[in-house]
């Protein structure tokens, strides 16, 4: 069963949302309790301030001392109650008998609640109790005369309903703030997740890890030295081959983290980093060895973020070139194959930019199958890898010229005992195939057929085209230098074919018919590798 993986965007969104929710819940819990305590304390302080003010009023003191002035206490208490919006203001004597009350019928009666005891003993305090007006928060303050003798007490009450209402109002604002914070947090989480996803080019962590592993494997397996720098010219990467070449040149210290112009002054990347220009096939001397380097900028969203230099020792390239046949034809075949490959890469790039990933997969599969079939077919017929690679290049060159290229033959052609034979065969085949491809241009049927037969150390090769044919006059002089049907400054190909055939004691025949095409038949002594 396929294991479901949560995407990076979903993970970031859930994580940020969880953090925001937990933070807001903890904040709500702490602030709510704090506000509740604060509101209750504020209301208690308010009641205490009012009770103290009333207790120090001359009207109250005089009314408690002088029975004749007692009647002035009720109006005064009523006025203060209305001004301060408290539930009640009760003035009592030392026996707990009320001298004021919101309900005038309660005046003269004993204070109700049972919490007045401490204040009648001279202790100021706050309590919550139920009286004639219901549950209330009460503040008690003793009343003293001018001789500091307690003559009574004042009780100021605030309705608990009013206190709870104030607390609920405070919590309401908290909930509004929490809700707004939660919405903003979720939106921020979504934005952050999308932004990170965009920065990572839509890749998941597992995909990024896979790309890094693939990149590391590619870098370490390549035969060219690779060195990368950031936008400040600091070396950030060197592969195994690059380290080997640098050590060979006498650079023993690790280059990572060093500035390129200090570590390797000869390798200049200013134009690449500042102007974004690619510098190709640059020759540099590094303490006794000569390297050929290619330098290209690294861009992210049209902004230069660094540069990559690939380099190889010139001696190795020269030796490789000498092994490859030294013939222009083989290089041209490789160039054609590279050009064809670049066209395919451009097609893949276009499909990726259009985000048609299904078409990308289909196209890559088709190209890979075609390439694999061609490689398997050619390699199975031509055992010499140099010759096989050359013929594969001709497949690409034929496709580039919109021509059908067919190979026919039984068995296979073995690797020759002498490498010089391969070079000459490539010269012969290269010129004959190129001439055939030129001959079919503009023809209704563009087809070139390569036939081969190897028997008893004799290799017979036929190259047939569906071109217009060769006239008898030109056919007689076909292998002379300068003879050509393509215009001036041509006619060297078949001359080189004749020279190569003479070197290996080969023979060539030409069969051509006007309007029906031309066939070249080449016979070559061909001893396979390992034969006496």
């Amino acid at each position: 069963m396929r294991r479901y993986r949560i995407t990076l965007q979903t993970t970031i969104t859930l994580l940020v949302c969880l953090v925001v929710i937990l933070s807001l819940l903890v904040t709500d819990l702490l602030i709510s309790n704090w506000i509740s305590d604060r509101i209750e304390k504020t209301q208690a302080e308010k009641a205490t301030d009012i009770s103290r003010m009333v207790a120090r009023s001359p009207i109250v003191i005089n009314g408690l001392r002088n029975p004749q002035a007692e009647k002035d206490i009720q109006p005064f208490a009523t006025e203060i109650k209305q001004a301060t919006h408290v539930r009640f203001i009760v003035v009592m004597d030392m026996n707990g008998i009320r001298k004021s009350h919101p309900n005038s019928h309660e005046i003269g009666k004993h204070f109700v609640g049972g919490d007045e005891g401490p204040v009648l003993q001279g202790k100021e305090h706050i309590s919550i109790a139920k009286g004639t007006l219901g549950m209330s928060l009460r503040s008690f303050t003793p009343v003293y005369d001018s001789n500091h003798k307690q003559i009574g007490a004042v009780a100021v009450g605030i309705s608990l309903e009013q206190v709870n209402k104030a607390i609920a109002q405070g919590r309401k604002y908290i909930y509004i703030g929490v809700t707004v914070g939660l919405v903003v947090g979720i939106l921020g989480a979504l934005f952050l997740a999308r932004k990170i996803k965009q920065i990572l080019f839509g890749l998941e962590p597992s995909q990024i890890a896979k790309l890094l592993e693939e990149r590391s494997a590619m870098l370490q397996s390549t035969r060219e030295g690779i060195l990368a720098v950031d936008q400040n010219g600091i070396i950030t990467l060197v592969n195994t081959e690059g380290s080997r070449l640098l050590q060979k040149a006498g650079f023993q210290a690790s280059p990572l983290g060093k500035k390129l112009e200090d570590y390797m002054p000869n390798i200049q990347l200013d134009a690449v980093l500042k102007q974004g220009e690619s510098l190709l096939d640059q020759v540099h001397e590094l303490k006794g060895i000569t390297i050929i380097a290619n330098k290209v900028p690294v861009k992210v969203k049209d902004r230069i973020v660094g540069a990559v230099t690939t380099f190889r020792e010139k001696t190795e390239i020269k030796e490789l070139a000498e092994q490859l046949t030294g013939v222009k034809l083989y290089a041209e075949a490789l160039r054609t194959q590279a050009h064809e490959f670049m066209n395919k890469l451009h097609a893949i790039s276009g499909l990726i930019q259009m985000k048609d990933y299904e078409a990308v997969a289909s196209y890559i599969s088709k190209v890979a199958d075609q390439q694999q079939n061609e490689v398997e077919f050619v390699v199975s017929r031509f055992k010499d890898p140099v010759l096989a690679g050359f013929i594969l290049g001709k497949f690409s060159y034929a496709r580039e010229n919109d021509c059908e290229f067919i190979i026919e033959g039984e068995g296979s052609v073995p690797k020759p005992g002498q490498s010089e034979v391969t070079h000459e065969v490539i010269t012969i085949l290269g010129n004959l195939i190129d001439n055939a491809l030129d001959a079919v241009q503009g023809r209704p049927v563009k087809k070139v057929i390569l036939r081969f037969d190897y028997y008893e150390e004799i290799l017979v090769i036929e190259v047939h085209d569906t071109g217009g044919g060769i006239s008898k006059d030109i056919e007689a002089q076909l292998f002379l230098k300068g003879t050509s049907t393509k215009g001036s400054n041509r006619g060297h190909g078949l001359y080189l074919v004749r020279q190569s055939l003479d070197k290996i004691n080969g023979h060539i025949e030409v069969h051509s018919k006007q309007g029906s095409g031309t066939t070249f038949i080449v016979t070559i002594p061909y001893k396979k590798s390992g034969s006496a």
Side-chain angles (χ1 to χ4, degrees):
M1 185 174 69
R2 184 178 179 182
R3 184 180 177 184
Y4 177 74
R5 290 185 177 181
I6 301 177
T7 64
L8 178 63
Q9 183 171 348
T10 303
T11 302
I12 294 174
T13 303
L14 292 176
L15 182 60
V16 174
C17 288
L18 180 61
V19 171
V20 170
I21 291 171
L22 288 177
S23 300
L24 291 176
L25 287 177
V26 172
T27 302
D28 174 41
L29 181 62
L30 295 176
I31 292 180
S32 294
N33 291 334
W34 180 83
I35 286 182
S36 298
D37 294 340
R38 188 63 186 171
I39 289 175
E40 188 172 330
K41 186 176 180 181
T42 300
Q43 294 296 321
E45 289 175 350
K46 174 183 176 182
T48 300
D49 290 340
I50 296 171
S51 66
R52 288 174 178 175
M53 179 186 69
V54 173
R56 288 167 175 73
S57 170
I59 296 175
V60 172
I61 296 172
N62 189 38
L64 289 173
R65 288 179 60 190
N66 186 0
Q68 302 298 326
E70 186 179 300
K71 64 181 183 300
D72 297 330
I73 295 178
Q74 174 68 5
F76 173 73
T78 301
E79 183 181 354
I80 298 299
K81 171 184 173 296
Q82 291 174 350
T84 56
H85 303 290
V86 294
R87 192 169 195 179
F88 64 82
I89 298 177
V90 173
V91 179
M92 68 187 83
D93 59 17
M94 292 301 293
N95 296 317
I97 303 301
R98 302 189 189 102
K99 303 302 179 180
S100 68
H101 194 276
N103 185 356
S104 58
H105 296 293
E106 299 293 330
I107 297 174
K109 296 180 180 180
H110 197 280
F111 186 83
V112 178
D115 52 347
E116 72 278 8
V119 75
L120 295 177
Q121 297 176 9
K123 296 179 181 179
E124 186 179 70
H125 71 285
I126 295 173
S127 68
I128 296 176
K130 184 176 182 181
T132 57
L133 298 177
M135 293 294 293
S136 59
L137 184 149
R138 307 175 174 198
S139 176
F140 294 90
T141 302
V143 180
Y144 297 94
D145 61 11
S146 57
N147 296 321
H148 199 68
K149 179 184 177 182
Q150 185 174 357
I151 56 176
V154 175
V156 175
I158 296 177
S159 171
L160 281 183
E161 183 181 346
Q162 184 178 350
V163 174
N164 293 333
K165 184 177 180 182
I167 293 174
Q169 185 71 16
R171 283 181 172 168
K172 176 182 176 182
Y173 291 126
I174 292 175
Y175 294 150
I176 292 174
V178 168
T179 303
V180 172
L182 182 59
V183 172
V184 172
I186 292 174
L187 293 177
L190 292 172
F191 174 78
L192 176 63
R194 183 170 295 180
K195 191 67 177 177
I196 293 176
K197 189 80 170 177
Q198 185 180 8
I199 292 173
L200 297 178
F201 299 100
L203 297 175
E204 296 297 323
S206 59
Q207 295 174 312
I208 295 173
K210 183 173 180 290
L211 284 175
L212 286 174
E213 291 174 357
E214 291 174 348
R215 188 200 73 155
S216 178
M218 291 171 62
L219 289 176
Q220 302 309 328
S221 63
T222 184
R223 293 292 303 277
E224 283 191 316
I226 299 176
L227 183 146
V229 300
D230 61 17
Q231 63 267 37
N232 298 316
I234 304 298
I235 300 173
T236 58
L237 180 145
V238 179
N239 71 339
T240 302
E241 180 64 13
S243 297
R244 186 188 70 81
L245 290 174
L246 291 176
Q247 290 178 2
K248 185 176 181 180
F251 298 95
Q252 298 300 325
S254 173
L256 296 178
K258 295 181 172 60
K259 203 167 182 63
L260 181 65
E261 62 183 22
D262 298 332
Y263 189 80
M264 300 169 63
N266 293 339
I267 307 295
Q268 298 295 328
L269 288 177
D270 291 344
V272 179
L273 290 173
K274 294 179 180 178
Q275 303 172 17
E277 297 179 357
S278 296
L279 301 176
L280 306 177
D281 300 325
Q282 301 286 301
V283 180
H284 299 283
E285 292 291 335
L286 293 181
K287 296 183 179 181
I289 70 170
T290 304
I291 64 170
I292 298 178
N294 295 312
K295 312 163 193 175
V296 296
V298 178
K299 296 181 179 181
V300 176
K301 295 182 179 179
D302 296 327
R303 186 172 69 89
I304 299 174
V305 297
V308 172
T309 299
T310 60
F311 54 95
R312 194 163 186 179
E313 192 175 357
K314 187 176 181 180
T315 304
E316 295 178 359
I317 297 176
K318 184 178 179 181
E319 291 175 354
L320 182 61
E322 290 174 352
Q323 294 173 5
L324 285 178
T325 73
V327 182
K328 177 183 176 182
L329 295 169
Y330 189 67
E332 182 66 20
L334 291 178
R335 183 206 65 78
T336 304
Q337 201 167 23
H339 184 266
E340 183 187 32
F341 184 66
M342 286 302 299
N343 288 336
K344 292 172 181 176
L345 286 181
H346 291 156
I348 293 172
S349 176
L351 290 173
I352 291 176
Q353 291 178 13
M354 292 188 296
K355 298 183 178 180
D356 193 348
Y357 302 119
E358 187 173 334
V360 171
S362 176
Y363 182 73
I364 291 176
S365 177
K366 180 179 178 181
V367 170
D369 290 343
Q370 181 188 37
Q371 189 74 13
Q372 184 67 23
N373 291 337
E374 285 184 1
V375 170
E376 290 179 356
F377 176 78
V378 172
V379 170
S380 67
R381 297 298 189 277
F382 300 91
K383 301 303 181 181
D384 187 343
V386 177
L387 182 58
F390 168 76
I391 293 175
L392 283 172
K394 288 305 177 184
F395 266 110
S396 299
Y397 187 51
R399 274 195 297 271
E400 190 176 3
N401 288 274
D402 194 26
C403 175
E404 184 180 4
F405 186 50
I406 301 172
I407 297 178
E408 297 177 352
E410 297 293 333
S412 62
V413 178
K415 184 177 181 179
Q418 296 180 338
S419 60
E420 291 79 5
V421 175
T422 299
H423 302 166
E424 303 305 336
V425 171
I426 287 177
T427 299
I428 295 167
L429 277 179
N431 282 289
L432 293 180
I433 293 173
D434 284 350
N435 286 344
L437 291 173
D438 287 340
V440 299
Q441 295 304 309
R443 300 291 295 176
V445 177
K446 296 181 181 181
K447 182 184 294 185
V448 173
I449 301 174
L450 171 63
R451 298 186 181 95
F452 68 90
D453 183 32
Y454 178 73
Y455 181 71
E456 293 184 353
E457 297 186 342
I458 297 295
L459 176 62
V460 178
I461 299 173
E462 294 184 18
V463 178
H464 173 75
D465 65 66
T466 57
I470 302 173
S471 65
K472 293 296 182 181
D473 296 336
I474 295 179
E475 186 176 334
Q477 305 176 2
L478 202 56
F479 297 97
L480 298 178
K481 189 174 183 179
T483 301
S484 175
T485 61
K486 306 171 188 175
S488 59
N489 298 320
R490 304 295 293 271
H492 299 284
L494 292 178
Y495 172 74
L496 294 175
V497 169
R498 172 61 72 186
Q499 283 190 321
S500 293
L501 286 170
D502 291 341
K503 289 179 183 178
I504 56 177
N505 299 318
H507 173 71
I508 188 169
E509 300 177 15
V510 183
H511 301 279
S512 182
K513 184 178 180 180
Q514 288 286 337
S516 298
T518 303
T519 301
F520 287 88
I521 304 175
V522 177
T523 304
I524 303 171
Y526 193 94
K527 291 185 177 183
K528 64 181 179 179
S529 178
S531 62

